[in-house]
Amino acid sequence: MTKTALVVGASGIVGSAVAGLLAERGWQVHGLARRPVEQAGVSPVAADLLKADGTRAALAGIAPDAVFITTWLRQDSEAENIRVNAAMVRNLLDALPPATGPRHVALVTGLKHYLGPFEAYGKGALPQTPFREEQGRLDVDNFYYAQEDEVFAAAARDGFTWSVHRPHTVIGKAVGNAMNMGTTLAVYATLCRELGRPFVFPGSAAQWEGLTDMTDAGQLARQLVWAAETPAAHDQAFNIVNGDVFRWQWMWGRIADWFGIEAAPFDGTVRPLEDQMRGMADTWRAIAEREGLAEPDLDRLASPWHTDADLGRPIEVVTDMSKSRKLGFLDYQPTDEAFFALFERLRADRLIP
């Protein structure tokens, strides 16, 4: 029988990848977003998860076998992040009709589980790397924990299974996304080439010199679907990265070569992208008009604040994936190839020249 999926946040980097993979594998897919976008094999569902009654009405008649929660809304404080994002998960799960069979709910969070929320990111007493799932929560408020608690409470009430997935920085395509390093770096490299500026690494010496890893959206999608379909993976939390490690001093040059520009030598000074890209909106608009690009608004493509948070961390970040590998998830994705595939897609979709 055909299985039915509800992908929440289907217009985002992760959600669009999950919805596409499910459609390819023959699932009936409903893609929920505040402003759904057209995607092959996905039935759009428009809903604002902060409105409980509207969410219930939007989901009437949809009885998913699996639910994939891949969305969040950034607020001005962690207290507001907790209030808003917990309410979104709660309203969603309260709105689902009773399951007619086994149901699985997968929640995507991230390494802020180990690193702390934006207000205390990478500070204080952090767990030792590589991060492992058995490392407990930090003694700090964190909206990821609040989202998890809503899932756990609903699972105990309604009897569904769950999984939690913790990617590192995600590489993938989505316009208007708040956490979008790959497209941000592509736009930054394009601006450097246009203006004849050096391609300057914006982050810390710890990130330039230390080992790190990342997560391709397709790799994350494969683990999400695997967990939903694998009983041994139910009621478990998993890290998810590509499977390789690298140093930014190597990756920065690889990205520069792809765009045909030269990577500037790194002298240890942090030069945030928010500063480097400030005032470039008009330049990008001019490039977009000249090249016939699909998105002239720089703010809808680039999120320098989030890239600065990742590349400015003062500690090495490496993620352990032994748990899911032991259970049979063996997929692998070279990170430089993930970047290059994204850049090719951005070019094909006329988002970069």
Side-chain angles (χ1 to χ4, degrees), residues 2-351:
T2 300
K3 292 184 178 181
T4 299
L6 174 65
V7 179
V8 183
S11 62
I13 290 177
V14 177
S16 60
V18 176
L21 178 62
L22 289 164
E24 289 175 9
R25 295 190 177 181
W27 288 59
Q28 180 181 0
V29 184
H30 300 273
L32 186 150
R34 283 178 296 166
R35 292 178 293 276
V37 298
E38 185 176 343
Q39 187 173 2
V42 180
S43 300
V45 179
D48 181 348
L49 295 181
L50 289 175
K51 299 177 179 178
D53 291 342
T55 300
R56 191 178 302 276
L59 294 178
I62 300 175
D65 300 292
V67 180
F68 302 89
I69 305 173
T70 71
T71 191
W72 72 289
L73 285 176
R74 188 189 184 199
Q75 305 300 308
D76 291 335
S77 69
E78 194 59 22
E80 278 298 288
N81 276 332
I82 290 170
R83 183 185 70 81
V84 168
N85 289 285
M88 290 168 61
V89 174
R90 183 168 60 253
N91 290 341
L92 167 73
L93 297 178
D94 286 350
L96 291 174
T100 57
R103 174 176 289 165
H104 183 80
V105 174
L107 171 69
V108 178
T109 61
L111 294 196
K112 285 189 289 296
H113 180 92
Y114 309 108
L115 287 163
F118 290 118
E119 291 180 2
Y121 192 58
K123 300 175 183 177
L126 301 176
Q128 189 177 50
T129 58
F131 295 138
R132 293 180 169 86
E133 295 93 343
E134 62 266 24
Q135 294 165 330
R137 294 179 175 183
L138 302 176
D139 186 19
V140 61
D141 291 338
N142 190 323
F143 81 88
Y144 282 170
Y145 305 160
Q147 288 181 309
E148 286 182 343
D149 288 342
E150 293 293 343
V151 171
F152 300 157
R157 178 192 69 204
D158 297 337
F160 59 75
T161 60
W162 56 266
S163 58
V164 174
H165 303 259
R166 300 170 186 156
H168 198 164
T169 304
V170 177
I171 303 170
K173 181 207 164 190
V175 176
N177 193 277
M179 303 167 71
N180 196 345
M181 179 189 283
T183 303
T184 297
L185 293 181
V187 169
Y188 171 57
T190 301
L191 288 165
C192 288
R193 185 175 61 199
E194 175 77 9
L195 299 171
R197 293 188 179 184
F199 189 54
V200 175
F201 182 71
S204 66
Q207 293 303 304
W208 181 256
E209 297 167 358
L211 291 172
T212 193
D213 47 31
M214 291 184 71
T215 308
D216 180 72
Q219 174 82 338
L220 174 51
R222 291 187 291 273
Q223 193 196 58
L224 282 159
V225 176
W226 164 82
E229 297 178 331
T230 304
H234 292 172
D235 301 335
Q236 301 283 342
F238 298 105
N239 293 331
I240 172 62
V241 287
N242 289 334
D244 63 348
V245 295
F246 63 91
R247 303 180 199 276
W248 274 106
Q249 58 184 268
W250 174 80
M251 186 67 77
W252 200 249
R254 296 282 286 161
I255 293 173
D257 288 345
W258 196 94
F259 284 94
I261 56 180
E262 186 172 346
F266 179 67
D267 64 4
T269 303
V270 177
R271 295 181 171 86
L273 279 183
E274 275 203 298
D275 295 339
Q276 294 192 55
M277 297 178 70
R278 186 172 290 116
M280 289 190 175
D282 289 343
T283 301
W284 183 260
R285 187 171 298 275
I287 295 171
E289 291 176 358
R290 185 188 72 218
E291 302 290 340
L293 301 184
E295 181 52 71
D297 186 346
L298 180 62
D299 290 338
R300 282 185 49 77
L301 288 176
S303 53
W305 67 271
H306 185 261
T307 298
D308 286 339
D310 278 353
L311 297 183
R313 290 183 299 222
I315 59 171
E316 180 178 274
V317 176
V318 183
T319 313
D320 181 76
M321 272 188 60
S322 298
K323 187 176 182 181
S324 59
R325 284 173 173 157
K326 287 179 180 178
L327 293 176
F329 182 77
L330 304 176
D331 289 44
Y332 170 81
Q333 169 65 61
T335 300
D336 58 341
E337 293 180 10
F339 271 121
F340 301 158
L342 171 63
F343 300 156
E344 292 284 5
R345 185 179 177 192
L346 294 175
R347 182 168 285 173
D349 292 345
R350 304 304 302 158
L351 290 169

